[in-house]
Amino acid sequence: AGRPPSICERESCSRLGNAVALGMGRIAGAGALVAAAALCALGGVGATQFWVEPQSSRCISEELPEKALFTGDYSIDPTDEFVGNVKVLGPLDAVLFERQTSDPHHFSVTSMTMGVHKVCFSNESPARRRVVITLRKGLEVDDHSQMARKDHVEQIEKQLDKMREMAMAIKEEMIYMRGREEEMRDTNESTNTRVLWFNIMTLTLIGTMGLWQIYYLKRYFQMKKLI
């Protein structure tokens, strides 16, 4: 049979048990903090819903840094005879987005300055409306392709088509001007050549007429026996 434990051994076992319990408590606390952070992160991109009373407006705000992407998907229910608008306002109440529609839609803006940005829903209809909105900002925007909506793409395509037509028109104008320049250069060279030959012929004719006059006058004076 073994001997009974001494007082020192019992104290060591007690200290060891306390240390183990403290370590387990810290691990549990860290796990709780991680779980809470995960829940907060998941809740940050969740949908928010609220009611907007008739003839009133309601806003929700988000703190954004400078040049941060801010997107949202919203719906307004019921949609019958809805009168109102949706606005995204910057820190100085500058309108970054505005639309008058009750259909489920999407907005995407970029903050110009740091500060509180507001998304406001105005209800001018006689019945209250339920708003459901999901906001994302910065790194929470996992699909940046949502910025390129169909209407934006169509506008960009129209601008590109217009720029392409302008470029083609400028190219054709440059080709036409180059052709005109070559024609004018050929015309100038031909004119200069003709003027040169005309001057040579004129000088030859004048010289020939001068020599003929000298010869004629000399014979005339000889016939008259003046010389």
Side-chain angles (χ1 to χ4, degrees):
R3 62 180 179 85
S6 63
I7 297 176
C8 294
E9 290 175 345
R10 287 199 297 267
E11 289 180 354
S12 299
C13 291
S14 177
R15 290 175 183 176
L16 179 59
N18 292 334
V20 171
L22 181 60
M24 293 298 293
R26 289 180 178 177
I27 293 174
L33 290 176
V34 171
L39 289 176
C40 291
L42 291 175
V45 295
T48 303
Q49 62 177 349
F50 52 86
W51 291 90
V52 182
E53 299 298 328
Q55 307 299 322
S56 64
S57 62
R58 191 168 179 180
C59 301
I60 57 177
S61 60
E62 284 285 345
E63 183 77 21
L64 297 177
E66 184 180 1
K67 296 182 179 179
L69 183 61
F70 185 39
T71 67
D73 295 283
Y74 63 88
S75 63
I76 301 175
D77 184 66
T79 59
D80 299 337
E81 299 180 356
F82 172 75
V83 179
N85 57 33
V86 182
K87 290 183 180 180
V88 180
L89 304 177
L92 301 178
D93 290 338
V95 179
L96 305 179
F97 173 88
E98 182 176 8
R99 178 161 301 190
Q100 296 181 353
T101 179
S102 60
D103 298 330
H105 216 277
H106 173 88
F107 71 82
S108 178
V109 298
T110 302
S111 59
M112 296 294 101
T113 57
M114 179 181 63
V116 177
H117 290 65
K118 295 182 292 185
V119 182
C120 298
F121 295 85
S122 175
N123 181 17
E124 303 296 335
S125 54
R128 70 174 186 167
R129 308 289 170 169
R130 185 171 65 95
V131 176
V132 179
I133 182 170
T134 302
L135 297 177
R136 293 179 176 86
K137 61 180 180 179
L139 298 178
E140 295 174 355
V141 184
D142 54 355
D143 187 7
H144 290 267
S145 63
Q146 291 182 355
M147 296 179 60
R149 307 301 293 180
K150 182 178 179 181
D151 50 351
H152 295 171
V153 173
E154 290 177 354
Q155 293 178 3
I156 293 174
E157 287 178 351
K158 290 180 180 178
Q159 293 294 330
L160 290 176
D161 291 338
K162 185 176 180 180
M163 293 175 64
R164 182 166 57 249
E165 292 175 359
M166 292 177 61
M168 293 298 297
I170 293 174
K171 180 181 178 181
E172 293 176 358
E173 186 70 18
M174 291 181 64
I175 293 175
Y176 172 75
M177 294 297 295
R178 183 180 300 175
R180 289 293 305 273
E181 181 184 358
E182 292 177 356
E183 291 179 1
M184 292 181 65
R185 185 172 62 249
D186 295 338
T187 302
N188 290 334
E189 291 178 356
S190 176
T191 302
N192 292 335
T193 303
R194 292 178 181 179
V195 169
L196 177 62
W197 282 107
F198 177 78
N199 291 333
I200 293 174
M201 292 178 63
T202 302
L203 291 175
T204 303
L205 180 61
I206 293 174
T208 303
M209 292 182 62
L211 294 174
W212 181 81
Q213 289 180 354
I214 292 173
Y215 175 75
Y216 175 80
L217 291 175
K218 183 177 180 181
R219 288 198 58 190
Y220 175 78
F221 289 142
Q222 288 178 352
M223 289 177 62
K224 296 295 184 178
K225 297 183 180 180
L226 296 177
I227 55 175

